[in-house]
Amino acid sequence: MAKKFRALTLGEFVVAQQNAFPYATGDLTRLLNHIGIASKIVNREVNMAGLVDILGETGKENIQGEQVKKLDDYANEQFKLILGSSTEVCGLATEEEKESVSFESDLSREGKYIVCMDPLDGSSNIDVNVSIGTVFCIYRRISEVGTASEEKDFLQRGTEQVAAGYVLYGSSTMLVYTTGMGVTGFTLDPSIGEYFLSHRKINMPDLGTTYSINEGNYINFPAGVKQYIKYCQENDLSTHRPYTSRYIGSLVADFHRNMLKGGIYIYPQTKAHPEGKLRLTYECNPIAFLTEQSGGIATDGMGNRILEIPVTSIHQRVPFFAGSPEMVKLAEKYMKINS
Ligand code: P6P
């Protein structure tokens, strides 16, 4: 009779992982669990968005000049509330806030960590019921414990991340994260509100057949990107059927599929976004950490490792090429030929 395994919950797993760090105090464990709690609250609203008055615009614009959806706002407020009342985090930078938020309570000021996050990424998909996500990463603070968080806490390179992850509000809700010991995925059982271990160690295939890019911007792409797309469209690889184009317009959903099945996600420089569209601190660095931890490569398309790009502002944008190593290397080769 096959031995039955009881699935581990997120809480049990992070505690077990903590034991691998002899000097761990449990703060990071508690922080990851707080992020899990906030994601469950957001998930509840995401699942009911069509039923309650939470769709649509707030009439506000964020610093990106993008219309803020009610669910964006709600997610941002929930993560601020949960993290602000934890004792591990002294400050938060999010897509929805122009400046970083320093949590003012005495307990928060003792927090050792800061969080950068996009509380609800892909929000243009909310009204059409397409998967959206939360992206987060965690750093140790640089500023003195016991004081308010400072801007320098949020301008650390991606290599300094302590942890990174995302929540995918899709056909099922998943929380996927890394602390530098590989990538692990949990799936939410909404009937009991518990995340259960479902993907113990996620490894990105070296080569895939999916490329994810908004080809509507084709005319404005760099020549190297245009040539890479043509390569994908014209080469019937001997061991793979022709490439497939899959682009959801939701970074977390596109990335998650590519990480599991192999593939490449590209958001290059375009006319509308000459620096690239995605933000380094709360989109590219966390996804790049997960990419590398699962065996992939993440660069700016010009040979620069995302995790090593100097961070000069919270909302800094960079071109983003992330995915299976063989695919990113080939895309980089086309970019280099045309540079
Ligand atoms: P476009 C969503 O706004 C986002 O940040 C990513 O989730 C997504 O991949 C990308 O932008 C979509 O941008 O210009 O293709 O609509």
Side-chain angles (χ1 to χ4, degrees):
M1 174 109 151
K3 182 173 172 45
K4 287 190 179 304
F5 286 94
R6 177 180 68 82
L8 279 180
T9 65
L10 173 66
E12 290 170 320
F13 184 84
V14 291
V15 167
Q17 288 288 86
Q18 170 193 316
N19 295 337
F21 296 91
Y23 304 108
T25 61
D27 286 355
L28 182 60
T29 295
R30 279 190 293 278
L31 173 47
L32 288 167
N33 278 306
H34 281 137
I35 290 174
I37 291 166
S39 75
K40 292 179 200 173
I41 296 170
V42 171
N43 178 66
R44 182 186 59 201
E45 297 307 316
V46 165
N47 287 341
M48 295 192 297
L51 301 174
V52 298
D53 177 28
I54 203 159
L55 284 178
E57 319 282 345
T58 60
K60 291 193 300 183
E61 274 194 358
N62 62 17
I63 184 176
Q64 333 290 339
E66 296 164 345
Q67 275 303 312
V68 178
K69 301 270 185 183
K70 288 181 181 175
L71 213 46
D72 271 333
D73 237 6
Y74 178 82
N76 190 54
E77 290 309 312
Q78 287 308 312
F79 277 103
K80 274 203 298 187
L81 179 67
I82 300 282
L83 295 179
S85 55
S86 75
T87 58
E88 304 89 25
V89 183
C90 61
L92 173 68
T94 90
E95 180 187 48
E96 305 307 333
E97 305 281 347
K98 185 174 181 184
E99 308 292 339
S100 61
V101 175
S102 176
F103 296 130
E104 292 307 316
S105 78
D106 290 349
L107 280 177
S108 295
R109 288 191 170 202
E110 294 297 323
K112 292 189 302 196
Y113 298 107
I114 62 100
V115 174
C116 299
M117 73 182 332
D118 187 349
L120 209 58
D121 178 78
S123 51
S124 57
N125 291 308
I126 292 173
D127 297 353
V128 293
N129 201 20
V130 169
S131 300
I132 50 183
T134 294
V135 189
F136 66 89
C137 58
I138 301 168
Y139 291 84
R140 284 184 194 79
R141 71 184 299 174
I142 297 176
S143 55
E144 188 185 346
V145 172
T147 66
S149 61
E150 299 173 27
E151 190 184 27
K152 64 183 179 183
D153 292 319
F154 301 92
L155 303 184
Q156 300 179 61
R157 290 184 190 213
T159 47
E160 301 308 304
Q161 291 174 91
V162 172
Y166 56 78
V167 181
L168 175 57
Y169 309 99
S171 48
S172 63
T173 295
M174 281 194 71
L175 188 150
V176 177
Y177 84 95
T178 182
T179 57
M181 295 166 52
V183 177
T184 305
F186 299 81
T187 300
L188 182 67
D189 178 341
S191 68
I192 58 171
E194 196 60 83
Y195 279 111
F196 285 103
L197 179 67
S198 53
H199 298 68
R200 172 62 188 87
K201 193 164 175 53
I202 301 176
N203 295 308
M204 185 183 287
D206 283 343
L207 184 62
T209 56
T210 299
Y211 66 98
S212 305
I213 188 169
N214 183 344
E215 295 189 58
N217 296 322
Y218 182 85
I219 193 167
N220 296 313
F221 284 158
V225 171
K226 291 181 178 177
Q227 288 180 13
Y228 179 70
I229 291 173
K230 284 303 161 205
Y231 167 85
C232 292
Q233 293 171 340
E234 293 167 358
N235 280 270
D236 183 352
L237 301 178
S238 57
T239 54
H240 292 68
R241 64 182 177 81
Y243 282 64
T244 299
S245 173
R246 287 282 185 276
Y247 190 71
I248 300 171
S250 186
L251 170 63
V252 173
D254 279 316
F255 175 75
H256 182 72
R257 178 201 54 245
N258 291 354
M259 183 168 64
L260 294 182
K261 304 289 187 187
I264 184 172
Y265 174 98
I266 300 175
Y267 208 110
Q269 307 86 326
T270 63
K271 190 173 181 181
H273 297 294
E275 298 298 318
K277 177 185 181 185
L278 302 189
R279 278 53 57 101
L280 178 57
T281 55
Y282 45 78
E283 288 173 321
C284 299
N285 267 333
I287 296 296
F289 191 14
L290 291 156
T291 302
E292 293 195 359
Q293 282 292 307
S294 63
I297 292 179
T299 77
D300 63 357
M302 295 169 283
N304 302 302
R305 185 183 174 214
I306 289 291
L307 296 181
E308 292 178 354
I309 294 177
V311 181
T312 54
S313 79
I314 289 173
H315 302 293
Q316 174 181 347
R317 298 176 191 268
V318 289
F320 193 53
F321 295 57
S324 297
E326 294 311 312
M327 301 176 82
V328 174
K329 285 175 189 168
L330 184 58
E332 283 261 348
K333 184 177 158 191
Y334 281 113
M335 289 290 283
K336 191 173 177 62
I337 294 169
N338 290 278
S339 60

